[in-house]
Amino acid sequence: MRPLRLLILLQVLLFSSGCTHMANDSWTGKDKAQHFVASAAFAAAGAAYGDHQNWNEARSRSFGLLFSIGLGAAKELYDSREGGTGWSWKDFAWDVAGAATGYSIYHLAR
């Protein structure tokens, strides 16, 4: 239940943050691959950290996913400031896809 509360808190922060503008970008491009790969690496690293802390698999998984997605959300909030490139739901979608893939690959490789 705890990860659900964190996810709800993240959503509340995102929707009340007052983004100054949105990005007008495409679904493909070099930056999308970078979002995907970085999020995959962060999710795997977070899950590995949980494993090294002797957490159970569910806690380790939750930490890895939320760590990665949280960093992706922080990056988009940074981009949404005045003078930034704007909030991109497409970038964030690639972040979430990368986090899920990175976690999956990490646990398949174990």
Side-chain angles (χ1 to χ4, degrees), residues 64-86:
L65 291 173
L66 289 175
F67 175 67
S68 180
I69 293 170
L71 288 174
K75 167 70 168 73
E76 291 310 311
L77 284 172
Y78 178 77
D79 286 347
S80 72
R81 77 195 190 296
E82 193 167 337
T85 58

Side-chain angles (χ1 to χ4, degrees), residues 5 7 19-20 22 24 26 38-39 49 64 68 82 88 97-98 108:
R5 289 183 206 164
L7 187 59
C19 297
T20 61
M22 304 290 278
N24 186 18
S26 69
S39 292
Y49 174 79
S68 180
E82 193 167 337
S88 172
L108 285 173

